[in-house]
Amino acid sequence: MIVIDSITHVEPAHRGCVVLAGSHGGAYCAGVAAQAGLGAVLLNDAGFGLDRAGVGALALLDRIGMAAAAIGHMSARIGDGADMARRGVLSAVNDAARRAGCRIGMGAAAAAAVLADAPEPSGTLPSPEEVRMLLAPGVVGLDSLSLLQASDGNKVVVSGSHGALLRGNPGYVIHHVVRAVVCHDAGIGCDRAGISRLEPCAAMGVPAAAVDGATARVGDARSLWRTGRLSAVNRLARAAGAAAGMALPEFTELFA
């Protein structure tokens, strides 16, 4: 089993391997896993959330016969591959993983051992695509925080990414200082990892908030904008008037 904190950290050497990644199990991650030619993949269920988007990768990967499973967000920290490998318990499996012998409730290490013998995937999925969009004047939507640019410094950023710090890169919070930033809370989860990025943002001088996973799809900035409601805010956002339960347009008006 290859253990990484983000599915974006896969390398050519991981082709054909069982990879456990600390990322959410949304649709984008299915495309990355397929493009990388992984043998099987384990991701975090991000609290399942609206439309079960946190495990959307599983059904997509069934299309190419790739065994995939999700680790429960309450059993281990999202963004922390090592913790997921050590404490993680499966909360969802796709048909390919089920045929290989994976079951809900199985530990991550045991699941990886089973998946090592899963049949090789065949076929391809469309190339993964994360999107930037203008949601309102002064408000940019990013399906992933990895799309943040220096030119976004004067904007409020609404991101579909989970709000967890990556264990392997604790110095990284966000690439650039912006007016304010919103992430998905990934169900908050074990050790409140899903919102662990918020207060470090305050240390950078950035007001930050997280959207309740039950109100919006993880990995989908438009969904956060349309239906998302805040579940947590950092101290700078709170001082500006932000509060749990607030809708995204209302929050962004405080800063845009």
Side-chain angles (χ1 to χ4, degrees):
M1 177 170 61
I2 305 297
V3 178
I4 52 180
D5 293 326
S6 170
I7 194 67
T8 61
H9 296 169
V10 291
E11 301 174 359
H14 299 159
R15 189 173 189 85
C17 295
V18 178
V19 170
L20 182 153
S23 297
H24 64 74
Y28 175 77
C29 296
V32 176
Q35 288 279 313
L38 304 185
V41 68
L42 295 147
L43 299 160
N44 194 288
D45 72 14
F48 289 88
L50 184 67
D51 299 333
R52 293 176 60 88
V55 295
L58 274 57
L60 291 173
L61 290 171
D62 255 333
R63 298 180 186 177
I64 61 169
M66 184 183 292
I71 289 171
H73 69 298
M74 292 303 299
S75 70
R77 294 187 293 270
I78 192 169
D80 187 338
D83 189 58
M84 287 169 56
R86 180 171 61 89
R87 294 195 290 173
V89 175
L90 300 192
S91 59
V93 299
N94 70 0
D95 288 341
R98 189 176 296 109
R99 288 193 297 270
C102 283
R103 298 290 182 269
I104 292 173
M106 181 180 281
V114 167
L115 292 175
D117 295 324
E120 290 187 11
S122 60
T124 60
L125 292 176
S127 297
E129 181 179 359
E130 291 176 304
V131 179
R132 292 176 54 90
M133 68 217 69
L134 186 67
L135 296 171
V139 183
V140 64
L142 311 174
D143 284 346
S144 169
L145 268 179
S146 66
L147 301 174
L148 189 66
Q149 301 173 353
S151 59
D152 296 324
N154 64 342
K155 299 181 178 71
V156 177
V157 174
V158 175
S159 167
S161 291
H162 64 68
L165 293 172
L166 300 184
R167 178 198 63 86
N169 189 8
Y172 166 68
V173 182
I174 52 176
H175 289 302
H176 305 287
V177 173
V178 296
R179 286 184 182 269
V181 64
V182 182
C183 292
H184 193 280
D185 75 4
I188 300 183
C190 182
D191 300 333
R192 298 179 66 81
I195 56 172
S196 59
R197 200 189 303 253
L198 268 58
E199 285 307 323
C201 281
M204 293 178 64
V206 178
V211 162
D212 184 342
T215 67
R217 294 187 297 272
V218 68
D220 185 340
R222 284 192 178 90
S223 178
L224 268 68
W225 177 252
R226 290 169 180 160
T227 61
R229 290 193 171 269
L230 303 188
S231 60
V233 299
N234 72 5
R235 61 181 183 271
L236 297 183
R238 188 178 304 111
M246 184 176 281
L248 257 290
E250 185 182 1
F251 171 81
T252 61
E253 284 176 5
L254 297 173
F255 305 101

